[in-house]
Amino acid sequence: MEREQIWNLLEIIEQQVSSSILGGREDDYEELERLGYIHIDRSSIQHAASLTPAGEAYLSELRHAGT
């Protein structure tokens, strides 16, 4: 996944606090989870993602870099 795609998804998740997994994007969310940027709550039928401290730090870094 490209840096801009990561940035966009992390911003969506941050804005929604807990973001439902967008249809067709499951692989992208799983990649972000493997990177440690999000946690996916799989306890309900509709899985939801939330930022981890590492994800918040990376998003802040991207914003300051102006990418």
Side-chain angles (χ1 to χ4, degrees), residues 7-20 29 49-51 56 59 63:
W7 186 356
N8 289 335
L9 275 177
L10 291 177
E11 283 193 324
I12 289 169
I13 294 166
E14 179 189 49
Q15 290 169 1
Q16 297 179 0
V17 180
S18 180
S19 172
S20 296
Y29 280 80
S50 56
L51 286 178
E56 291 173 2
L59 183 56
R63 288 178 177 150

Side-chain angles (χ1 to χ4, degrees), residues 8-66:
N8 289 335
L9 275 177
L10 291 177
E11 283 193 324
I12 289 169
I13 294 166
E14 179 189 49
Q15 290 169 1
Q16 297 179 0
V17 180
S18 180
S19 172
S20 296
I21 305 299
L22 300 173
R25 304 291 306 263
E26 292 90 356
D27 291 342
D28 293 338
Y29 280 80
E30 288 175 358
E31 182 176 344
L32 292 177
E33 186 175 47
R34 281 191 299 275
L35 291 169
Y37 298 151
I38 67 170
H39 168 73
I40 299 174
D41 179 2
R42 294 176 173 87
S43 64
S44 63
I45 293 172
Q46 177 61 49
H47 297 169
S50 56
L51 286 178
T52 63
E56 291 173 2
Y58 187 64
L59 183 56
S60 177
E61 178 184 316
L62 290 173
R63 288 178 177 150
H64 285 89

